[in-house]
Amino acid sequence: MIHSMTAYARREIKGEWGTGTWEIRSVNQRFLDLTIKCPDFLRAAENQFRKTFNQHLTRGKVTAFIKFFPDENTSLTQLSVNHALLAQLVAQADKIANNHQLTNNLSTSHYMTWPDVIVQQPTDTSALHQSAIDLVNESVQKLLDSRAREGAEMKAVLQQKTDLIISLTNAIRDYVPAINQHLSEKLKNKLAELDVEVNPERFEQEVAMQLQKIDITEELDRLDAHTKEFNRVLQLQEPVGRRLDFLVQELNRESNTIGSKSASINTSNASIDLKVAIEQMREQIQNIE
């Protein structure tokens, strides 16, 4: 199945802990380039996120954002007091006050601002991790659906262009006999104008050599083979972007050769039309996974 590399997906989930969203953007890229941006408390689940993406995607520059909006009753941290350190601070403060006849007027807030007295630790976020993993599965599936829809439209365009190439190839093949006949008559007329005696056998050899120089039968046959293979690859249920890219290069090579061997305005025009169609195909294929 044809999949586009350009897509967008967004999913949201709500729970007792608050609201989480996954937002995924994908554009064309030769290989899979994955960037995940998530809150620090979800870093432990990042490997699982990546595994999910790698299972379903092979190409594209993918950027994924996960955002968390906690409920008003949800806290991601727990605070505790380092009582051993606090006891030392109080003792030292009292000692300074007694030794120097001072009043220990330090308030609780003063002690709390001392480094490491208040210890901040993350709460158990395992439930949030699992929710985020479930959400990324849904988001990736939505991204795949979007890629498939756009891919179906691209497939239809490519099939139209392939049909056009087949039609142009057949038209050029129909021109070949008339071109050969025209060249043979042209050489005969030139010979008649010169009014010289020539060996008929040698003349036929010369005609054959000239016809061989402009012969495009092999190129037309290869165009037929490449378009047949192109249509076959379009039906495969796997990533086909690289195969199609290779085939369109081969199509372009044959069309260039036909253009360089052109011996009539008809084949020249048809060759230009071939190149235009193939270039349009190439632009589409750049965005196929």
Coordinates of all heavy atoms in Angstrom, one line a residue, residues 61-124:
K61 N 10.8 12.3 8.2 CA 11.2 13.1 9.4 C 10.0 13.3 10.3 O 9.1 14.1 9.9 CB 11.8 14.5 8.9 CG 12.3 15.4 10.0 CD 13.0 16.6 9.5 CE 13.5 17.5 10.6 NZ 14.5 16.9 11.5
V62 N 10.0 12.7 11.4 CA 8.9 12.6 12.3 C 9.2 13.4 13.6 O 10.2 13.1 14.2 CB 8.5 11.2 12.6 CG1 7.3 11.1 13.5 CG2 8.2 10.4 11.3
T63 N 8.4 14.3 13.9 CA 8.5 15.0 15.2 C 7.3 14.8 16.0 O 6.2 15.1 15.6 CB 8.7 16.5 15.0 OG1 9.8 16.7 14.1 CG2 9.0 17.3 16.3
A64 N 7.5 14.3 17.3 CA 6.4 14.0 18.2 C 6.5 14.8 19.4 O 7.5 14.9 20.0 CB 6.3 12.5 18.5
F65 N 5.3 15.4 19.8 CA 5.3 16.2 21.0 C 4.2 15.6 22.0 O 3.1 15.3 21.6 CB 4.8 17.6 20.8 CG 5.7 18.3 19.7 CD1 5.4 18.2 18.4 CD2 6.7 19.2 20.1 CE1 6.2 18.9 17.4 CE2 7.5 19.8 19.2 CZ 7.2 19.7 17.8
I66 N 4.6 15.3 23.2 CA 3.7 14.9 24.2 C 3.6 16.0 25.3 O 4.6 16.5 25.8 CB 4.0 13.6 24.8 CG1 2.8 13.1 25.8 CG2 5.3 13.5 25.5 CD1 2.9 11.7 26.2
K67 N 2.4 16.4 25.6 CA 2.2 17.5 26.6 C 1.3 17.0 27.7 O 0.3 16.2 27.4 CB 1.5 18.7 25.9 CG 2.4 19.3 24.8 CD 1.7 20.5 24.1 CE 2.6 21.1 23.0 NZ 2.0 22.2 22.4
F68 N 1.5 17.5 28.9 CA 0.7 17.0 30.0 C 0.2 18.2 30.8 O 0.9 19.2 31.1 CB 1.6 16.2 31.0 CG 0.9 15.8 32.3 CD1 -0.1 14.9 32.3 CD2 1.3 16.4 33.5 CE1 -0.7 14.6 33.5 CE2 0.7 16.1 34.7 CZ -0.3 15.2 34.7
F69 N -1.1 18.2 31.0 CA -1.8 19.2 31.8 C -2.4 18.6 33.0 O -3.5 18.0 32.9 CB -2.9 19.9 30.9 CG -2.3 20.4 29.6 CD1 -2.4 19.6 28.4 CD2 -1.7 21.6 29.5 CE1 -1.9 20.0 27.2 CE2 -1.3 22.1 28.2 CZ -1.4 21.3 27.1
P70 N -1.7 18.8 34.2 CA -2.2 18.1 35.4 C -3.5 18.6 35.9 O -3.8 19.8 35.8 CB -1.1 18.3 36.4 CG -0.4 19.6 35.9 CD -0.5 19.6 34.4
D71 N -4.3 17.7 36.5 CA -5.5 18.1 37.2 C -5.1 19.0 38.5 O -4.0 18.9 39.0 CB -6.2 16.9 37.7 CG -7.6 17.2 38.3 OD1 -8.5 17.5 37.6 OD2 -7.6 17.3 39.6
E72 N -6.0 19.8 38.9 CA -5.7 20.7 40.1 C -5.3 19.9 41.3 O -4.6 20.5 42.2 CB -6.8 21.6 40.3 CG -8.1 20.9 40.7 CD -9.3 21.9 41.0 OE1 -9.1 23.1 40.7 OE2 -10.3 21.4 41.4
N73 N -5.7 18.7 41.4 CA -5.4 17.9 42.6 C -4.2 16.9 42.4 O -4.0 16.1 43.2 CB -6.7 17.1 43.0 CG -7.8 18.0 43.4 OD1 -7.6 19.0 44.1 ND2 -9.0 17.6 43.0
T74 N -3.6 17.1 41.2 CA -2.5 16.2 40.9 C -1.2 16.8 41.1 O -1.0 18.0 40.6 CB -2.6 15.7 39.4 OG1 -3.9 15.0 39.3 CG2 -1.5 14.8 39.0
S75 N -0.3 16.1 41.7 CA 1.1 16.7 41.9 C 2.1 15.6 41.4 O 1.9 14.4 41.7 CB 1.4 17.0 43.4 OG 2.7 17.4 43.5
L76 N 3.1 16.0 40.7 CA 4.0 15.1 40.1 C 5.3 15.0 41.0 O 6.2 14.2 40.7 CB 4.5 15.5 38.7 CG 3.4 15.5 37.7 CD1 3.9 16.1 36.4 CD2 2.8 14.2 37.5
T77 N 5.3 15.7 42.1 CA 6.4 15.6 43.1 C 5.9 15.5 44.5 O 4.8 15.8 44.8 CB 7.2 16.9 43.0 OG1 6.4 18.1 43.3 CG2 7.9 17.1 41.6
Q78 N 6.8 14.9 45.3 CA 6.5 14.8 46.8 C 7.6 15.5 47.5 O 8.8 15.4 47.2 CB 6.5 13.3 47.2 CG 5.3 12.5 46.7 CD 5.3 11.1 47.1 OE1 6.4 10.5 47.4 NE2 4.2 10.4 47.2
L79 N 7.2 16.2 48.5 CA 8.2 17.0 49.3 C 8.4 16.3 50.7 O 7.4 15.9 51.3 CB 7.7 18.4 49.6 CG 7.4 19.3 48.3 CD1 6.9 20.7 48.7 CD2 8.7 19.4 47.5
S80 N 9.6 16.3 51.1 CA 10.0 15.7 52.4 C 11.0 16.6 53.1 O 11.7 17.4 52.4 CB 10.4 14.3 52.3 OG 11.6 14.2 51.5
V81 N 11.2 16.4 54.4 CA 12.2 17.2 55.1 C 13.4 16.4 55.5 O 13.3 15.3 56.0 CB 11.5 17.8 56.4 CG1 12.6 18.6 57.2 CG2 10.3 18.7 56.0
N82 N 14.6 16.9 55.2 CA 15.8 16.3 55.6 C 16.0 16.7 57.1 O 16.7 17.7 57.4 CB 17.0 16.8 54.8 CG 18.3 16.1 55.1 OD1 18.5 15.5 56.1 ND2 19.2 16.1 54.1
H83 N 15.5 15.9 58.0 CA 15.4 16.2 59.5 C 16.9 16.3 60.0 O 17.1 17.1 60.9 CB 14.6 15.2 60.2 CG 13.1 15.3 59.9 ND1 12.3 16.4 60.4 CD2 12.3 14.6 59.1 CE1 11.1 16.2 60.0 NE2 11.1 15.1 59.2
A84 N 17.7 15.4 59.6 CA 19.1 15.4 60.1 C 19.8 16.8 59.8 O 20.5 17.4 60.7 CB 19.9 14.3 59.5
L85 N 19.7 17.2 58.6 CA 20.3 18.5 58.2 C 19.6 19.7 58.9 O 20.3 20.6 59.4 CB 20.2 18.7 56.7 CG 20.7 20.0 56.1 CD1 22.2 20.2 56.5 CD2 20.5 20.1 54.6
L86 N 18.3 19.6 59.1 CA 17.5 20.6 59.8 C 17.9 20.7 61.2 O 18.1 21.8 61.8 CB 16.0 20.4 59.7 CG 15.1 21.4 60.3 CD1 15.4 22.8 59.8 CD2 13.7 21.1 60.2
A87 N 18.1 19.6 61.9 CA 18.6 19.6 63.3 C 19.9 20.3 63.4 O 20.2 21.0 64.4 CB 18.6 18.2 63.8
Q88 N 20.8 20.0 62.5 CA 22.1 20.6 62.6 C 22.0 22.2 62.4 O 22.7 22.9 63.1 CB 23.0 20.1 61.5 CG 23.4 18.6 61.7 CD 24.4 18.1 60.6 OE1 25.5 18.7 60.4 NE2 24.0 17.1 59.9
L89 N 21.2 22.6 61.5 CA 21.0 24.0 61.2 C 20.5 24.7 62.5 O 20.9 25.8 62.9 CB 20.0 24.3 60.1 CG 20.6 24.0 58.7 CD1 19.5 24.1 57.6 CD2 21.7 24.9 58.3
V90 N 19.4 24.1 63.1 CA 18.9 24.7 64.3 C 19.9 24.8 65.5 O 20.0 25.8 66.2 CB 17.6 23.9 64.8 CG1 17.1 24.4 66.1 CG2 16.5 24.0 63.7
A91 N 20.6 23.7 65.6 CA 21.7 23.6 66.7 C 22.7 24.7 66.4 O 23.2 25.4 67.4 CB 22.3 22.2 66.7
Q92 N 23.2 24.8 65.2 CA 24.2 25.8 64.9 C 23.7 27.2 65.1 O 24.4 28.1 65.6 CB 24.7 25.6 63.5 CG 25.5 24.3 63.3 CD 26.7 24.2 64.2 OE1 27.4 25.2 64.4 NE2 27.0 23.0 64.7
A93 N 22.4 27.4 64.7 CA 21.8 28.8 64.9 C 21.7 29.1 66.4 O 22.0 30.3 66.8 CB 20.4 28.8 64.2
D94 N 21.3 28.2 67.2 CA 21.2 28.4 68.7 C 22.6 28.6 69.3 O 22.8 29.5 70.1 CB 20.5 27.2 69.3 CG 19.1 27.1 69.0 OD1 18.5 28.1 68.6 OD2 18.5 26.0 69.1
K95 N 23.6 27.9 68.8 CA 24.9 28.0 69.3 C 25.5 29.4 69.0 O 26.1 30.1 69.9 CB 25.8 27.0 68.6 CG 27.2 26.9 69.2 CD 28.0 25.8 68.6 CE 29.4 25.7 69.1 NZ 30.2 24.6 68.5
I96 N 25.2 29.9 67.8 CA 25.7 31.2 67.4 C 25.0 32.3 68.3 O 25.6 33.2 68.8 CB 25.4 31.5 65.9 CG1 26.3 30.6 65.0 CG2 25.7 33.0 65.6 CD1 26.0 30.7 63.6
A97 N 23.7 32.1 68.5 CA 23.0 33.1 69.3 C 23.5 33.1 70.7 O 23.6 34.2 71.4 CB 21.5 32.7 69.3
N98 N 23.7 31.9 71.3 CA 24.2 31.9 72.7 C 25.6 32.4 72.9 O 25.9 33.1 73.8 CB 24.2 30.4 73.2 CG 22.7 29.9 73.3 OD1 21.8 30.7 73.6 ND2 22.6 28.6 73.2
N99 N 26.5 32.1 72.0 CA 27.9 32.5 72.1 C 28.1 34.0 71.9 O 29.0 34.6 72.4 CB 28.8 31.8 71.0 CG 28.9 30.3 71.4 OD1 28.7 29.9 72.5 ND2 29.3 29.5 70.4
H100 N 27.2 34.6 71.1 CA 27.3 36.0 70.8 C 26.2 36.8 71.4 O 26.0 38.0 71.0 CB 27.4 36.2 69.3 CG 28.6 35.5 68.7 ND1 29.9 36.0 68.7 CD2 28.7 34.3 68.0 CE1 30.7 35.2 68.0 NE2 30.0 34.1 67.6
Q101 N 25.5 36.2 72.3 CA 24.4 37.0 73.0 C 23.4 37.6 72.0 O 23.1 38.8 72.1 CB 25.0 38.0 73.9 CG 25.8 37.5 75.1 CD 26.4 38.5 76.0 OE1 26.3 39.7 75.7 NE2 26.9 38.1 77.1
L102 N 23.0 36.8 71.1 CA 22.1 37.2 70.0 C 20.8 36.5 70.2 O 20.7 35.4 70.9 CB 22.6 36.9 68.6 CG 23.9 37.6 68.3 CD1 24.4 37.1 66.9 CD2 23.7 39.1 68.3
T103 N 19.8 37.0 69.6 CA 18.5 36.3 69.6 C 18.3 35.5 68.3 O 18.5 36.1 67.2 CB 17.3 37.4 69.7 OG1 17.5 38.1 70.9 CG2 16.0 36.7 69.7
N104 N 18.0 34.3 68.5 CA 17.8 33.4 67.3 C 16.4 33.7 66.8 O 15.4 33.2 67.3 CB 17.9 31.9 67.7 CG 17.8 31.0 66.4 OD1 17.6 31.5 65.3 ND2 17.9 29.7 66.6
N105 N 16.3 34.6 65.8 CA 15.0 35.0 65.3 C 14.8 34.4 63.9 O 14.0 34.9 63.1 CB 14.9 36.5 65.2 CG 16.0 37.1 64.4 OD1 16.9 36.4 63.8 ND2 16.0 38.5 64.3
L106 N 15.5 33.3 63.6 CA 15.2 32.6 62.3 C 13.9 31.9 62.3 O 13.5 31.2 63.2 CB 16.3 31.6 62.0 CG 17.7 32.1 61.8 CD1 18.7 30.9 61.6 CD2 17.8 33.0 60.6
S107 N 13.1 32.2 61.2 CA 11.8 31.6 61.1 C 11.8 30.3 60.4 O 12.9 29.9 59.8 CB 10.9 32.6 60.4 OG 11.3 32.8 59.0
T108 N 10.7 29.6 60.4 CA 10.7 28.4 59.6 C 11.0 28.5 58.1 O 11.7 27.7 57.5 CB 9.2 27.8 59.8 OG1 8.9 27.6 61.1 CG2 9.1 26.4 59.0
S109 N 10.5 29.6 57.6 CA 10.8 29.9 56.1 C 12.3 30.0 55.8 O 12.7 29.6 54.8 CB 10.0 31.1 55.7 OG 10.5 32.3 56.4
H110 N 13.0 30.6 56.8 CA 14.5 30.7 56.6 C 15.1 29.3 56.5 O 16.0 29.0 55.7 CB 15.1 31.5 57.8 CG 14.9 32.9 57.7 ND1 13.8 33.5 58.4 CD2 15.5 33.9 57.1 CE1 13.8 34.8 58.2 NE2 14.8 35.1 57.4
Y111 N 14.7 28.4 57.4 CA 15.2 27.0 57.4 C 14.8 26.3 56.1 O 15.6 25.5 55.5 CB 14.7 26.2 58.6 CG 15.3 26.7 59.9 CD1 14.5 27.3 60.9 CD2 16.7 26.6 60.2 CE1 15.1 27.7 62.1 CE2 17.2 27.0 61.3 CZ 16.4 27.6 62.3 OH 17.0 28.0 63.5
M112 N 13.6 26.6 55.6 CA 13.1 25.9 54.4 C 13.9 26.2 53.2 O 14.0 25.5 52.2 CB 11.6 26.1 54.2 CG 10.7 25.5 55.3 SD 9.0 25.8 55.0 CE 8.7 24.9 53.5
T113 N 14.4 27.5 53.1 CA 15.1 27.9 51.9 C 16.5 27.4 51.9 O 17.2 27.6 50.9 CB 15.1 29.5 51.8 OG1 15.6 30.0 53.0 CG2 13.6 30.0 51.7
W114 N 17.0 26.8 53.0 CA 18.4 26.3 53.0 C 18.5 25.1 52.1 O 17.6 24.3 52.0 CB 18.8 25.9 54.4 CG 20.2 25.6 54.5 CD1 20.8 24.4 54.4 CD2 21.3 26.5 54.8 NE1 22.2 24.4 54.5 CE2 22.5 25.7 54.8 CE3 21.3 27.9 55.1 CZ2 23.7 26.3 55.1 CZ3 22.6 28.4 55.3 CH2 23.7 27.7 55.3
P115 N 19.5 25.1 51.2 CA 19.6 24.0 50.2 C 19.6 22.6 50.9 O 20.2 22.4 51.9 CB 21.0 24.2 49.6 CG 21.3 25.7 49.8 CD 20.6 26.0 51.1
D116 N 18.8 21.8 50.3 CA 18.6 20.4 50.6 C 17.8 20.1 51.9 O 17.7 18.9 52.3 CB 20.0 19.7 50.8 CG 20.8 19.7 49.4 OD1 20.1 19.7 48.4 OD2 22.0 19.8 49.5
V117 N 17.3 21.1 52.5 CA 16.4 20.9 53.7 C 15.1 20.3 53.2 O 14.6 19.3 53.8 CB 16.2 22.2 54.5 CG1 15.1 22.0 55.5 CG2 17.5 22.6 55.2
I118 N 14.5 20.9 52.2 CA 13.3 20.4 51.6 C 13.7 19.5 50.4 O 14.4 20.0 49.4 CB 12.4 21.5 51.1 CG1 12.0 22.4 52.3 CG2 11.2 20.9 50.4 CD1 11.3 21.7 53.4
V119 N 13.4 18.3 50.4 CA 13.8 17.3 49.4 C 12.6 17.1 48.5 O 11.5 16.8 48.9 CB 14.2 16.0 50.0 CG1 14.6 15.0 48.9 CG2 15.4 16.2 51.0
Q120 N 12.8 17.3 47.2 CA 11.8 17.1 46.2 C 12.0 15.8 45.4 O 13.1 15.6 44.8 CB 11.8 18.3 45.2 CG 10.7 18.2 44.2 CD 10.6 19.5 43.3 OE1 10.7 20.6 43.8 NE2 10.5 19.3 42.0
Q121 N 11.0 14.9 45.5 CA 11.1 13.6 44.8 C 9.9 13.4 43.9 O 8.8 13.8 44.2 CB 11.2 12.5 45.8 CG 12.5 12.5 46.7 CD 12.4 11.4 47.7 OE1 11.4 11.0 48.2 NE2 13.6 10.8 48.0
P122 N 10.1 12.7 42.7 CA 9.0 12.5 41.9 C 8.0 11.5 42.5 O 8.5 10.5 43.2 CB 9.6 12.0 40.6 CG 10.9 11.4 41.0 CD 11.4 12.2 42.2
T123 N 6.8 11.7 42.2 CA 5.8 10.7 42.6 C 5.8 9.5 41.7 O 6.4 9.5 40.6 CB 4.4 11.3 42.7 OG1 4.1 11.8 41.3 CG2 4.3 12.5 43.6
D124 N 5.1 8.5 42.0 CA 5.0 7.3 41.2 C 4.1 7.7 39.9 O 2.9 7.9 40.0 CB 4.3 6.2 41.9 CG 4.2 4.9 41.1 OD1 4.8 4.8 40.0 OD2 3.5 4.0 41.5

